[in-house]
Amino acid sequence: VMNSKELREKSVEELQAALDEQQLNQFRLRMAKATGQLGKTHEVQVARKSIARIKTILTEKQGNGS
């Protein structure tokens, strides 16, 4: 899990790749939780917050197109 400062230093492409990776990770965690194989259920929430953090910084870097 990266903090906001580390994320802000990345390019838009790197952030997009990190977002894809986190979303895949979140999916795996959700599936593991659903099948009862996930011991640390808080990791799902951590993944959600990471995705939100990346999306926020992506929006800032791309400038509000609207």
Side-chain angles (χ1 to χ4, degrees):
V1 179
M2 290 186 234
N3 62 24
S4 297
K5 187 175 182 180
E6 291 171 353
L7 288 171
R8 286 181 204 284
E9 294 168 357
K10 293 184 177 283
S11 69
V12 173
E13 292 79 18
E14 288 173 320
L15 286 170
Q16 198 63 52
L19 180 61
D20 291 343
E21 183 182 320
Q22 278 297 328
Q23 287 177 328
L24 185 62
N25 183 40
Q26 181 192 33
F27 175 76
R28 288 189 184 122
L29 287 170
R30 282 198 333 249
M31 290 300 111
K33 183 178 179 185
T35 57
Q37 298 171 347
L38 185 62
K40 302 174 186 170
T41 54
H42 70 280
E43 289 180 2
V44 177
Q45 290 172 317
V46 171
R48 268 186 34 221
K49 289 187 179 187
S50 289
I51 290 170
R53 193 174 295 123
I54 293 169
K55 282 185 173 181
T56 299
I57 293 171
L58 260 174
T59 303
E60 288 173 4
K61 282 190 178 266
Q62 290 171 339
N64 266 346
S66 54

